[in-house]
Amino acid sequence: MTPEQALLETEVAIEMITVVIDGFEVTVPKGTLVIRAAEKLGIQIPRFCDHPLLKPAGACRQCLVDIEINGRAFPKPQASCTIPVENNMIVKTQLTSTVAEKAQEGIMEFLLINHPLDCAVCDKGGECPLQNQAMSTGRPESRFEGVKRTFEKPISISSQVLLDRERCVLCARCTRFSEEIAGDPFITLNERGALQQVGIYEKDPFESYYSGNTVQICPVGALTGTSYRFRARPFDLVSIDSACEHCASGCAMRTDIRRGKTLRRLAGDDPSVNEEWNCDKGRWAFKYLTNRERVTTPMIRGADGELHETSWPEAIAFAAAGLKDKRAGVLVGGRTTVEDAYGYSKFARVALGTNDIDFRARPHSDEETSFLSRVALNLKTTYKDIDVADQVVLLGFEPEEESPIVFLRIYKQVSKRALPVLSDAPFASRGSEKLGAVLISDLSKIANLTTKSVVIVGERLAETRGAFSSVYELINKSGAKLAWIPRRSGEPGALAAGAIPTLLPGGRPVTDPAARVDVAAAWSVESLPTSQGRSTSEILLALNVKNLDAVVIGGVDPLDISSTALTQLLNSFVVSLEISHSAITAVADVVLPVAAVIEKSGSYLDWQGSPRVFEKAIADSLSRSDVRILSMLADEMGSPINLPTVSATAREIASLGKWDGTPVAFEKSVSEKITELGEKLNLKSWRLLLDLGTLQGGEANLAGTARKASAHISKARAEKIGVKSGELISISSELGSLELPVEICEMADDLIWVPRNSIGSQVIANLGFVNGQVKVIKA
Amino acid sequence: MTELTPRPDDLGLTAAAKANVPIENQNAKSFFAQLQGFWVTFTTMFKKVTTVEYPEVKEPMAEGFHGRHQLNRYDDGLEKCIGCELCAWACPADAILVEGESNTEDARYSPGERYGKVYQINYLRCIFCGLCVEACPTRALTMTNEYELADDSRSKLIFEKEDLLAPLRSGALKPPHPMAEGKTHIDYYRGDITDIKND
Amino acid sequence: MGLEEKLPAGFALTTVENLAGYMRKNSLWPATFGLACCAIEMMAFGGGRYDAARFGMEVFRASPRQADLMIVAGRVSNKMAPVLRQIYDQMAAPNWVIAMGACASSGGMFNNYAIVQGVDHIVPVDIYLPGCPPRPEMLMDAILKLHEHIGNEKLGVNREQIIREVEAAALAAKPTHQLNGLLS
């Protein structure tokens, strides 16, 4: 935290200090570094190692200035990035002091001695602080006539980061980031003197989930991303501010486009959310768009059972005929923008006349539905609450795997002031270890909750019956802050847009007549369906037994819901709105191509409930957003939803606003009785950040740093089965089995944990469920 | 306020006619003047014709003429282009597109790490200013004297890398192939590679 | 005269085609249509050193009615575009267009709101001539390439056949937004 932020956050008066820099007076809080005080005046001192979010290091020495305190000058120029301001300090930068200027020029010349002259091929060329500052503060000519030091180049320190050691200026930004911010000290400075270089440990590759940030903050081209290497130069990229579509953390992003193709994504700058960081998935997982074959033309299934390309009017007419006056449901998927989710929500109510709509393409429960409609919608917890929390409780939530930026925020407080963290995870994952999380087996172990505590629940809590009820009680009793952080970016927005069986947009309960009148008036329709609709699993069940005839499906992977989801669809009329060919389009009767994130504008809601708006990155795309296509479909069906554009939709959402009436009551559920396990083990799982997810397709370099799948069991259990660490075990259920190497860790003897969707461990496909009892034997 | 000058009724010839000024008879002088004119015409018949007999005779362009581009090669056939896109950067008409790619040990197109995988010049945008040539750090891009470029469609005037690459000299090998034994990209850059004999 | 358009396909038509082509290509009269710097080079082409008269095109006609070749020499601003089109429409068929120089061909370095990004947005162009501005030799080269076109032009039913083929090829062509690089 910089002193400026501290000033905002605490009410304690902060001592202000006035210094003179280059003859100008500036008053800054005590503790401010000279280099920042100069920035405040608009005086730029060249620097490489200094980064406002990292601790001062004074490694590069480029920021030397002449300093005098109380009339006594320092004998030599000082690094302005490590010296805090003092009273009566007079600073002379390169602008007014020849000593400082000469010192900076000398350092620059020194840094350039061994820096190769390969700017023409270097990825950083054109946006390189070294290039720029060599021009602004370097000497025009080099006096060096020797041979430059060379190293083997590039060496890959992980599959996604390459290191050119000869370009390194030893600023230690990367190593400091990894240690201070990410807590993954896999990268260090080795050797001393002229031989000093950045390196990795022999045994541990640089497999951090945040390694991409080191590439972004490297002030030279020493660290480069494998997938961007030599792809483009900064001057022919068009940069667009965007939002990350991967998780509900809500990172601000920058997307760099060249001729209609995303070439790279960088972390955007939003101090209240992601500061300046993002995770590797957000940074590098964008090739899903070019990986699978895009659907570009509408397709309908002919009498021969094959999909045939057709025109838009024909496809829309065919879809409308199959949906009109039929009993139909809507599966939205967790990746829609708020506007698209609103489109699905309105389409279900107005065009299909049903509340059978659900955004949850994952295991879910009625208890969760109730929790979402009563509790989750009205939460006001933010990142700031984590910053000032006295305790963080993680329930059904692995921050590093499921919301990496939330993890960074918690880790920041853990490393700064040893913030206590509790987690209900079955074993201490790498993330939990870094947080020093205390594992708890049930909620009754949570003590000392105050109004400053933050309880974070994840989507996996729906898999434990009664868990949401216990949390609800806990929060009511203690007054602690509650946050619901789902894994997917679209879920908070879809909930607010009413893409759930119990709610209309804005959190209006479908069972409340006043709420229905409210929405019906805004939509200019006479009435809205009155009864609570079906959830995802109920819709699929109803389709299977012919209680529903048709279904409209957005971006859904059936294997995220259940192993039988796809077969349940086979007997009904399926309208699929998709970007590329998928399991759903393979069985769909009508496939309508929609725009991918870079081709449309829209917004996501992050888990705090604040909108992350983004604009079209590719202006001349022919693809249309889901809401536009649904609007066309509704027109054809004769019950228009009047949402022709994304901006019109956003306006309608804004004018509708939030519900201020009484919300529905939370229906509590009772926890399940623990059944007798016998020889079986209780299966626990969650998804790893980097796994087989659809949106990570096509990026082999990213997949290369995914954590290896292994089954975790306790030592006693391992002995009982007779396996040692690293040996294969076979995990089986009635529906199937999988084999994984074993990893022994501290955990309960009756539990086994496996990753949910990694290579060799796709739990829903292999075992048929995510939570249940499995037989474990040595393979 | 000054008095407005009254506008004269008429000027020029009509005025002169009105004034009834006699026009001088110049016959005596003009006879010799006319002869002089015929003499110029007559002598021209014995002068060298200035007309350039294009297309039958194609006179060489001046040195440094800005014609069609060429992507040069090193003596052994490796491309000089390193795909740095500086030419595209320098281009004021945005007529050049370059996409770089890594050289691998199996597929080496240029010495060093990087080569230009895609190289396109749109000759309908190009203004032949030569800034790209100035920007090129390896002298990979130069301009030839070829100027007969007109064609009947836009797409035919977007030249691809294959159209722009210099022909292989005898003894040179078409890339991809490895660098000369024991040589680095620096040696190539300095021209320190074994010269291939030209016959 | 229009008679040639009525001939049935066969020996007679091809002979007439060759004859008409020979005559047309050797009596091209360009319309005076200089718009910018390219026009200076075009004037040089008309002068003694390059001598347009060698190709039977010594007169640049001020009236479009008497011209059958429009050399668009220079950048066409959006304001000039309708004028250019009108002049093209006033030219008697058969008539041809050369887009001379980068600006007329594609907008050149003036990729902005004021300049038509290629004169082919307004009139059909037969020959594109790169250069900024092109030398008179380059213009002569373009004209000779146009001569070749004109010499091989078809008439009557043969012409209709060609038009049908071109149309079919255009329909089957890949849309420009799906092409890569500068082609897009």
Side-chain angles (χ1 to χ4, degrees):
Chain A
M1 187 162 42
T2 64
E4 286 91 345
Q5 281 171 315
L7 188 64
L8 293 172
E9 277 173 24
T10 54
E11 284 162 25
V12 186
I14 282 185
E15 202 187 322
M16 300 299 278
I17 285 175
T18 303
V19 285
V20 178
I21 302 177
D22 286 345
F24 299 100
E25 267 190 15
V26 63
T27 307
V28 289
K30 188 175 182 183
T32 306
L33 299 170
V34 170
I35 199 167
R36 300 256 178 288
E39 266 171 22
K40 225 180 155 188
L41 280 173
I43 296 167
Q44 205 203 353
I45 301 169
R47 84 289 302 269
F48 297 111
C49 69
D50 172 69
H51 190 285
L53 296 174
L54 301 176
K55 286 184 195 142
C60 71
R61 316 308 290 176
Q62 185 58 54
C63 62
L64 294 178
V65 291
D66 217 8
I67 299 179
E68 179 187 318
I69 304 174
N70 288 329
R72 289 180 56 202
F74 277 91
K76 286 176 182 174
Q78 297 296 308
S80 58
C81 73
T82 52
I83 294 191
V85 290
E86 300 272 351
N87 275 318
N88 300 326
M89 186 185 255
I90 295 172
V91 180
K92 284 181 181 165
T93 71
Q94 73 278 11
L95 301 176
T96 49
S97 155
T98 45
V99 177
E101 193 186 4
K102 192 174 171 228
Q104 288 179 8
E105 281 179 357
I107 291 290
M108 181 62 78
E109 192 176 5
F110 182 60
L111 289 176
L112 291 177
I113 279 181
N114 273 321
H115 192 85
L117 254 178
D118 62 352
C119 299
V121 294
C122 174
D123 279 337
K124 205 80 179 182
E127 54 179 10
C128 175
L130 181 61
Q131 242 182 0
N132 295 344
Q133 292 178 152
M135 294 297 284
S136 65
T137 47
R139 288 206 181 98
E141 302 221 346
S142 171
R143 292 175 291 177
F144 181 70
E145 283 170 354
V147 177
K148 287 184 191 245
R149 177 193 62 189
T150 51
F151 286 112
E152 183 202 339
K153 67 182 274 181
I155 56 171
S156 75
I157 55 173
S158 76
S159 68
Q160 53 199 8
V161 181
L162 298 174
L163 169 65
D164 289 280
R165 286 165 293 176
E166 54 198 41
R167 290 181 189 154
C168 180
V169 293
L170 301 170
C171 69
R173 269 190 186 183
C174 51
T175 57
R176 281 184 294 147
F177 167 83
S178 302
E179 207 173 308
E180 293 170 21
I181 309 287
D184 295 321
F186 296 133
I187 176 171
T188 60
L189 288 169
N190 308 331
E191 308 284 350
R192 286 292 169 270
L195 290 175
Q196 196 174 38
Q197 52 181 273
V198 171
I200 49 169
Y201 300 100
E202 247 171 70
K203 284 177 191 160
D204 296 310
F206 185 38
E207 283 180 3
S208 166
Y209 282 160
Y210 306 97
S211 61
N213 293 302
T214 61
V215 175
Q216 189 170 347
I217 61 175
C218 181
V220 293
L223 292 171
T224 48
T226 313
S227 50
Y228 177 66
R229 195 169 170 92
F230 300 161
R231 282 297 169 283
R233 307 309 302 256
F235 45 82
D236 58 13
L237 297 171
V238 179
S239 303
I240 291 107
D241 287 333
S242 58
C244 186
E245 71 267 30
H246 286 286
C247 80
S249 293
C251 290
M253 300 278 282
R254 194 182 108 187
T255 304
D256 283 358
I257 304 270
R258 163 155 121 167
R259 290 177 192 268
K261 219 163 104 189
T262 312
L263 279 172
R264 65 169 174 180
R265 300 188 81 185
L266 300 169
D269 195 356
D270 187 343
S272 65
V273 179
N274 58 324
E275 302 187 306
E276 284 179 30
W277 320 121
N278 74 345
C279 69
D280 288 355
K281 185 160 141 186
R283 183 177 301 263
W284 280 311
F286 54 80
K287 287 196 181 150
Y288 59 89
L289 204 58
T290 43
N291 179 36
R292 292 183 300 159
E293 200 192 334
R294 278 294 293 272
V295 186
T296 48
T297 350
M299 293 185 287
I300 55 178
R301 198 167 291 281
D304 58 352
E306 295 290 317
L307 282 177
H308 297 284
E309 292 194 345
T310 180
S311 67
W312 271 104
E314 209 169 332
I316 294 279
F318 187 77
L323 291 172
K324 196 170 164 61
D325 304 324
K326 297 279 165 58
R327 299 165 302 169
V330 180
L331 299 179
V332 181
R335 303 224 171 265
T336 52
T337 60
V338 180
E339 289 78 10
D340 287 345
Y342 181 83
Y344 281 107
S345 173
K346 192 170 176 184
F347 182 80
R349 271 66 185 236
V350 175
L352 300 176
T354 178
N355 281 323
D356 293 346
I357 175 169
D358 202 339
F359 65 83
R360 290 168 297 180
R362 54 177 169 84
H364 56 90
S365 67
D366 288 345
E367 188 192 3
E368 190 199 12
T369 314
S370 187
F371 171 82
L372 293 181
S373 27
R374 167 68 186 89
V375 187
L377 204 56
N378 302 312
L379 297 176
K380 293 199 171 58
T381 313
T382 62
Y383 279 108
K384 198 135 217 164
D385 293 316
I386 296 176
D387 288 343
V388 295
D390 63 356
Q391 180 172 210
V392 171
V393 183
L394 311 169
L395 301 173
F397 180 61
E398 268 303 303
E400 199 184 24
E401 310 287 358
E402 294 176 321
S403 204
I405 295 305
V406 175
F407 171 84
L408 285 190
R409 277 309 252 270
I410 303 174
Y411 182 72
K412 186 175 172 182
Q413 299 307 321
V414 169
S415 60
K416 198 164 103 180
R417 56 187 175 96
L419 170 72
V421 178
L422 300 181
S423 168
D424 71 343
F427 75 102
S429 63
R430 213 188 119 57
S432 295
E433 272 173 18
K434 285 197 268 180
L435 296 178
V438 177
L439 301 187
I440 47 168
S441 52
D442 66 279
L443 300 188
S444 60
K445 303 269 165 57
I446 303 170
N448 312 326
L449 279 187
T450 68
T451 49
K452 282 183 86 180
S453 309
V454 174
V455 177
I456 302 176
V457 296
E459 59 182 37
R460 280 183 294 111
L461 213 58
E463 292 157 18
T464 317
R465 201 171 138 82
F468 277 119
S469 308
S470 319
V471 172
Y472 185 62
E473 227 161 77
L474 201 65
I475 298 297
N476 274 355
K477 217 159 53 191
S478 62
K481 297 205 167 69
L482 179 64
W484 173 65
I485 308 187
R487 222 174 51 83
R488 290 184 175 132
S489 55
E491 295 205 358
L495 177 62
I500 188 159
T502 51
L503 294 181
L504 293 167
R508 295 170 174 79
V510 290
T511 46
D512 191 321
R516 284 202 306 272
V517 168
D518 202 6
V519 177
W523 287 352
S524 316
V525 289
E526 275 168 27
S527 66
L528 290 169
T530 53
S531 61
Q532 185 176 322
R534 295 178 172 92
S535 67
T536 301
S537 54
E538 286 163 349
I539 289 172
L540 288 169
L541 203 65
L543 288 167
N544 199 26
V545 300
K546 284 279 167 195
N547 279 340
L548 284 178
D549 310 308
V551 62
V552 177
I553 305 185
V556 171
D557 182 351
L559 274 179
D560 286 345
I561 308 170
S562 69
S563 54
T564 52
L566 196 62
T567 49
Q568 285 172 319
L569 290 173
L570 290 177
N571 296 325
S572 34
F573 185 79
V574 178
V575 179
S576 170
L577 283 76
E578 257 293 2
I579 56 169
S580 3
H581 291 276
S582 70
I584 298 283
T585 60
V587 301
D589 295 276
V590 187
V591 181
L592 302 172
V594 293
V597 180
I598 50 166
E599 297 161 343
K600 65 183 178 187
S601 57
S603 62
Y604 291 115
L605 288 189
D606 63 12
W607 64 269
Q608 313 175 87
S610 46
R612 314 295 312 178
V613 185
F614 58 91
E615 285 304 317
K616 253 186 183 182
I618 297 173
D620 52 358
S621 162
L622 298 176
S623 309
R624 301 275 175 271
S625 203
D626 298 36
V627 64
R628 167 84 185 126
I629 286 155
L630 290 170
S631 195
M632 276 156 45
L633 196 51
D635 284 345
E636 183 72 21
M637 290 168 72
S639 28
I641 58 171
N642 302 321
L643 298 171
T645 60
V646 171
S647 51
T649 313
R651 274 199 299 279
E652 190 172 308
I653 296 172
S655 69
L656 202 55
K658 268 187 134 180
W659 172 242
D660 45 9
T662 35
V664 280
F666 179 58
E667 287 166 31
K668 284 177 194 165
S669 308
V670 196
S671 335
E672 269 176 296
K673 251 200 218 155
I674 297 154
T675 46
E676 205 49 51
L677 285 168
E679 273 305 294
K680 291 186 166 178
L681 296 184
N682 258 332
L683 179 75
K684 295 278 172 194
S685 70
W686 57 69
R687 283 161 189 272
L688 300 181
L689 183 73
L690 305 177
D691 59 7
L692 293 173
T694 319
L695 294 195
Q696 295 162 55
E699 187 48 80
N701 298 324
L702 181 66
T705 60
R707 289 175 186 164
K708 303 284 169 293
S710 59
H712 290 238
I713 52 172
S714 71
K715 200 175 170 200
R717 177 60 65 177
E719 276 165 13
K720 207 167 170 191
I721 306 170
V723 286
K724 289 195 202 81
S725 186
E727 288 183 334
L728 284 180
I729 53 167
S730 156
I731 304 155
S732 57
S733 70
E734 285 79 20
L735 296 161
S737 71
L738 55 92
E739 277 187 9
L740 280 177
V742 118
E743 202 173 320
I744 294 165
C745 63
E746 286 272 316
M747 65 193 290
D749 289 343
D750 57 348
L751 294 179
I752 176 164
W753 179 90
V754 296
R756 192 168 281 189
N757 192 29
S758 295
I759 298 166
S761 176
Q762 287 179 285
V763 175
I764 293 179
N766 297 142
L767 300 175
F769 50 72
V770 289
N771 256 25
Q773 295 167 6
V774 287
K775 223 164 90 181
V776 179
I777 48 164
K778 187 174 176 181
Chain B
M1 211 170 140
T2 49
E3 283 281 308
L4 283 174
T5 328
R7 194 166 171 272
D9 288 345
D10 204 345
L11 290 170
L13 277 178
T14 338
K18 275 180 188 164
N20 205 13
V21 180
I23 297 166
E24 236 180 289
N25 189 345
Q26 294 178 337
N27 279 347
K29 278 184 198 167
S30 68
F31 176 72
F32 292 102
Q34 277 176 27
L35 262 191
Q36 204 175 6
F38 285 126
W39 180 246
V40 169
T41 312
F42 180 75
T43 52
T44 306
M45 293 205 295
F46 305 100
K47 280 187 183 155
K48 206 181 152 220
V49 179
T50 56
T51 308
V52 178
E53 289 298 328
Y54 183 89
E56 290 80 17
V57 182
K58 287 177 188 169
E59 285 193 1
M61 288 291 158
E63 235 175 89
F65 174 74
H66 287 188
R68 187 186 71 99
H69 298 82
Q70 173 169 289
L71 282 171
N72 299 316
R73 299 174 188 271
Y74 288 104
D75 287 346
D76 65 351
L78 282 178
E79 294 160 13
K80 284 189 176 177
C81 176
I82 52 169
C84 71
E85 301 186 27
L86 288 179
C87 46
W89 193 2
C91 183
D94 203 7
I96 308 183
L97 174 89
V98 189
E99 276 174 26
E101 183 65 72
S102 301
N103 276 318
T104 59
E105 283 315 309
D106 312 323
R108 172 172 295 284
Y109 291 87
S110 71
E113 285 182 90
R114 179 171 174 158
Y115 77 99
K117 187 181 167 202
V118 175
Y119 200 104
Q120 294 180 343
I121 297 182
N122 182 353
Y123 278 101
L124 290 184
R125 286 261 178 218
C126 176
I127 56 168
F128 299 87
C129 61
L131 288 179
C132 45
V133 175
E134 274 180 48
C136 185
T138 59
R139 286 301 263 163
L141 192 69
T142 51
M143 283 171 138
T144 62
N145 279 356
E146 191 189 330
Y147 54 84
E148 286 163 331
L149 293 168
D151 217 321
D152 60 0
S153 85
R154 277 197 184 211
S155 52
K156 283 183 195 163
L157 280 158
I158 295 172
F159 282 36
E160 302 266 354
K161 190 175 158 190
E162 299 75 55
D163 308 321
L164 295 165
L165 269 173
L168 286 165
R169 296 159 87 179
S170 66
L173 209 63
K174 190 175 162 39
H177 63 78
M179 281 189 270
E181 197 74 27
K183 298 289 180 182
T184 65
H185 69 279
I186 307 276
D187 299 321
Y188 270 85
Y189 184 73
R190 294 206 175 113
D192 295 345
I193 56 163
T194 352
D195 244 332
I196 291 159
K197 283 192 188 84
N198 297 313
D199 39 10
Chain C
M1 283 192 291
L3 264 183
E4 69 276 9
E5 301 285 348
K6 302 282 186 299
L7 281 173
F11 171 74
L13 180 57
T14 46
T15 312
V16 172
E17 269 171 6
N18 289 342
L19 190 68
Y22 178 77
M23 289 171 163
R24 281 173 179 176
K25 78 177 186 186
N26 287 310
S27 61
L28 272 180
W29 282 7
T32 313
F33 209 79
L35 290 167
C37 19
C38 282
I40 306 294
E41 300 291 319
M42 188 172 74
M43 285 178 224
F45 163 63
R49 184 168 163 80
Y50 298 100
D51 200 8
R54 292 183 294 140
F55 308 107
M57 49 195 298
E58 54 267 70
V59 273
F60 276 84
R61 301 311 305 193
S63 162
R65 298 282 183 213
Q66 297 160 358
D68 46 12
L69 168 65
M70 179 156 70
I71 303 175
V72 184
R75 63 195 92 86
V76 183
S77 65
N78 281 327
K79 205 171 176 180
M80 194 66 188
V83 181
L84 187 139
R85 176 72 211 192
Q86 190 172 8
I87 289 177
Y88 176 80
D89 288 340
Q90 286 170 344
M91 285 161 68
N95 53 351
W96 297 273
V97 178
I98 291 179
M100 180 180 180
C103 302
S105 302
S106 70
M109 65 180 298
F110 301 104
N111 190 355
N112 61 32
Y113 67 93
I115 301 295
V116 175
Q117 295 302 301
V119 76
D120 51 2
H121 287 278
I122 321 166
V123 293
V125 172
D126 296 277
I127 295 287
Y128 298 85
L129 172 58
C132 186
R135 288 186 61 88
E137 279 100 331
M138 295 166 84
L139 179 59
M140 282 191 271
D141 170 52
I143 285 166
L144 291 171
K145 278 174 179 158
L146 180 66
H147 279 181
E148 213 169 296
H149 263 255
I150 297 170
N152 294 326
E153 239 168 50
K154 305 284 180 227
L155 296 171
V157 280
N158 289 356
R159 182 181 168 80
E160 281 159 25
Q161 169 77 9
I162 295 263
I163 290 172
R164 271 197 301 278
E165 276 167 18
V166 169
E167 188 74 18
L171 282 173
K174 213 174 180 183
T176 44
H177 75 273
Q178 283 176 14
L179 295 170
N180 288 327
L182 290 173
L183 291 164
S184 65

